[in-house]
Amino acid sequence: MPQKVILDPLTRIEGHLGIEAVVDNGRVVDARCSGTLYRGFEQILIGRDPLDAVQITQRFCGVCPAAHALASAQCLDNALGLVPPHNGRVIRNLIQGANYIQSHILHFYHLAALDYARGPEFPPFIPRFEADYRLPAKVSQDIVSHYVQALHIRLKAHEMSAVFSGKMPHCASVVPGGVTVTPAVDKVTTFLWRLKELREFIDNVYIPDVLTIAAVYRDYSEIGRGCRRFLSYGAFDLDSEPDVQKRTRFFQMGRVVDGRRAPVDPGRITEDVRHAWYRERPPAHPSRETTEPDRKKAGGYSWLKAPRYEGLAYEVGPLARAMVNSADNANPALAKALDGALAQLRLRRENLCSVMGRHLARALETKVLADAMADWVLQIKLDEPVAVGHKLPEAAAGMGLWDAPRGALGHWISIRNQKIERYQAVVPTTWNASPHDGKEQPGPIEEALLGAPVEDPANPFALARIVRSFDPCIACAVHLVTPRGRLLASARIV
């Protein structure tokens, strides 16, 4: 007899996510993924100075604020017709790169690894699902000890970003047209010294730990396959081409459908709200989309909308970047790293579409990115400008397409009377944790849960492993309010 399994809230992710799964004969036959907070940033931005967007949108999330700073700044670059100078482009990449490393290490050690390595019997390691812990005791103890070491490494990554961003979280130096920080020799050497420590940890601890877990949990290279359509906007600009679709990026823009690489046309992106708690309307492009909450809407079960490309759900994130950038050898370093890891684990390329494939893709892109950053920081030209000036037009529109650590991130703005008329952000977890759409097509996480094994509905650890492999960030993805304006609390700041 079918049985409903509810994980709400699912812990060890960013934000509040609810999972409902129907289990029949030990397998998931239906799944619902629900974002349970309303964000409301789109309304906060309306009527503000357009330049405020770079700072306000970073408050979506404390883990990946750099990505929102970059997407928002590129959105304004596009609207105002700005092209950052060489130093502005390179320093933006370094700020974002440091945040990628911090975010990926956080995800593996502080959110996902404890699904496979048994922690001590005290908080924050309990309560937990009693999973099938298979690692030898000594290996498990080592990985748990790396949990503590990773806290120090994340601090180093934050410090490295702050060298050029001013502070972390929430960058102070990213602006439309470039950055405001003045490069100097001491900043370059400080950045390089911390990067050296991070690369040693990635090479000698992070990647070996991921490979060890992947070798022991080989069945999770077959579980959680998902929709097997992948989309990436790319990240880390390597030239100053104004058109984002023609720009060369370290992680290139593209899609993979049926195993083949295809281009991305931003005009084909829509947002569907059939099962989201927003006023019912046909799917619309983000530049024309509005955000009108309707908590009592019949059929609604999430504060996340359902982004679709040509009407289809797409997975975004490290696995999507791996699939796009290894197809046609678009990023030779990442393609080589993937091939080497698959050979070592005696896995096939199709095994990448899985729980372990996502962990492997995330770890390997951390390595190739950190290696590249050692060259990028030496490209800074100390005596050259870091930004171009601008004049705010009366009216304009723009978009910023960028890959955050968790995947494709798009910001769209329209400006009228030098104020923000409309702002929409479609974030990575909106893609991955989206609800069903008007065609009853499940979102990528919902599809990854279908068919998953659940031997004990009271202990559905496999479902938690699948969802966490996507590294969902609900704080970014949902759109807190009291609709009637009721005062919840007041505070006096002294």
Side-chain angles (χ1 to χ4, degrees):
M1 182 176 180
Q3 188 171 353
K4 184 177 288 187
V5 175
I6 299 176
L7 290 80
D8 189 6
L10 178 64
T11 57
R12 281 195 278 114
I13 64 167
E14 303 293 339
H16 300 74
L17 181 70
I19 298 294
E20 274 192 24
V22 178
V23 177
D24 193 11
N25 292 320
R27 297 280 173 180
V28 175
V29 296
D30 192 17
R32 292 287 187 275
C33 190
S34 176
T36 58
L37 275 180
Y38 175 72
R39 189 179 68 198
F41 271 78
E42 279 80 357
Q43 285 99 329
I44 293 172
L45 286 159
I46 293 173
R48 303 286 300 235
D49 186 313
L51 302 187
D52 290 349
V54 177
Q55 287 303 317
I56 292 175
T57 58
Q58 292 188 62
R59 271 66 187 175
F60 286 176
C61 180
V63 176
C64 51
H68 287 290
L70 267 293
S72 185
Q74 295 213 348
C75 185
L76 287 161
D77 289 346
N78 182 242
L80 307 182
L82 306 177
V83 177
H86 171 88
N87 277 347
R89 174 179 58 77
V90 171
I91 292 174
R92 282 181 175 184
N93 286 344
L94 295 174
I95 292 171
Q96 179 66 87
N99 182 246
Y100 257 63
I101 296 172
Q102 186 278 143
S103 180
H104 285 352
I105 290 174
L106 180 161
H107 171 259
F108 183 71
Y109 285 101
H110 302 135
L111 301 178
L114 295 175
D115 285 338
Y116 310 96
R118 182 190 288 274
E121 301 298 321
F122 53 77
F125 304 102
I126 57 170
R128 63 186 173 225
F129 289 127
E130 286 306 315
D132 57 338
Y133 294 111
R134 309 174 197 168
L135 296 172
K138 176 65 169 62
V139 174
S140 185
Q141 290 171 7
D142 287 345
I143 290 176
V144 173
S145 73
H146 298 158
Y147 176 104
V148 177
Q149 188 180 356
L151 291 171
H152 296 283
I153 292 297
R154 287 175 52 204
L155 172 63
K156 299 286 184 184
H158 275 318
E159 292 175 342
M160 193 169 74
S161 178
V163 168
F164 292 117
S165 66
K167 67 183 185 66
M168 278 300 285
H170 307 134
C171 316
S173 69
V174 177
V175 294
V179 296
T180 59
V181 64
T182 302
V185 171
D186 64 322
K187 288 185 170 65
V188 171
T189 54
T190 299
F191 191 96
L192 271 173
W193 182 253
R194 283 168 174 72
L195 181 59
K196 177 177 180 292
E197 292 182 82
L198 296 179
R199 293 174 70 191
E200 289 174 351
F201 180 83
I202 294 165
D203 290 346
N204 301 318
V205 180
Y206 180 23
I207 288 179
D209 282 349
V210 172
L211 290 172
T212 295
I213 289 175
V216 172
Y217 290 86
R218 291 182 63 84
D219 49 333
Y220 279 86
S221 296
E222 303 279 353
I223 293 173
R225 295 176 65 83
C227 62
R228 283 163 278 180
R229 291 181 295 273
F230 303 96
L231 179 146
S232 171
Y233 296 147
F236 305 102
D237 293 338
L238 300 182
D239 65 26
S240 298
E241 163 61 45
D243 186 342
V244 67
Q245 292 175 260
K246 299 177 182 176
R247 197 174 303 163
T248 302
R249 289 181 156 170
F250 182 69
F251 294 137
Q252 297 189 25
M253 179 184 289
R255 295 179 294 129
V256 168
V257 185
D258 296 329
R260 284 178 290 195
R261 187 173 169 185
V264 173
D265 176 357
R268 299 179 186 273
I269 298 169
T270 56
E271 290 187 287
D272 187 299
V273 296
R274 177 64 192 90
H275 290 287
W277 286 312
Y278 298 99
R279 187 174 66 83
E280 187 67 37
R281 60 186 175 278
H285 187 266
S287 65
R288 300 185 297 276
E289 177 68 339
T290 57
T291 301
E292 300 175 72
D294 181 4
R295 180 64 179 83
K296 296 181 180 179
K297 178 178 168 183
Y301 65 90
S302 179
W303 282 116
L304 277 66
K305 299 177 181 178
R308 296 293 186 258
Y309 187 95
E310 293 182 326
L312 298 173
Y314 274 75
E315 178 174 340
V316 303
L319 177 57
R321 287 191 289 272
M323 300 303 279
V324 168
N325 285 278
S326 60
D328 303 331
N329 209 31
N331 183 311
L334 184 56
K336 182 179 179 181
L338 284 165
D339 288 343
L342 290 173
Q344 180 177 339
L345 293 167
R346 291 177 283 110
L347 295 173
R348 298 161 296 168
R349 183 174 170 82
E350 50 263 39
N351 291 118
L352 287 172
C353 301
S354 65
V355 170
M356 281 305 149
R358 295 184 187 93
H359 290 304
L360 197 59
R362 191 174 286 109
L364 295 174
E365 79 164 13
T366 306
K367 174 178 170 49
V368 301
L369 174 61
D371 291 349
M373 288 168 63
D375 293 329
W376 296 347
V377 70
L378 297 177
Q379 295 172 9
I380 291 176
K381 300 176 181 178
L382 301 182
D383 54 351
E384 293 194 3
V386 294
V388 295
H390 67 270
K391 181 180 179 182
L392 199 59
E394 286 294 318
M399 66 177 179
L401 303 181
W402 185 257
D403 253 36
R406 293 176 172 87
L409 170 64
H411 284 214
W412 284 264
I413 191 173
S414 63
I415 300 169
R416 185 175 296 276
N417 298 326
Q418 296 189 326
K419 301 291 184 185
I420 296 176
E421 177 187 45
R422 184 194 303 265
Y423 203 99
Q424 283 292 321
V426 181
V427 310
T429 299
T430 319
W431 284 95
N432 286 337
S434 64
H436 282 50
D437 56 28
K439 296 184 291 186
E440 299 305 323
Q441 177 186 203
I445 290 180
E446 293 177 332
E447 189 158 351
L449 290 168
L450 297 176
V454 181
E455 295 181 7
D456 178 5
N459 193 29
F461 55 83
L463 306 190
R465 286 172 172 168
I466 292 170
V467 177
R468 291 193 184 111
S469 73
F470 283 87
D471 191 14
C473 180
I474 308 305
C476 277
V478 297
H479 277 274
L480 219 40
V481 295
T482 55
R484 296 176 181 171
R486 181 167 59 90
L487 179 65
L488 297 176
S490 63
R492 179 168 176 249
I493 308 299
V494 296

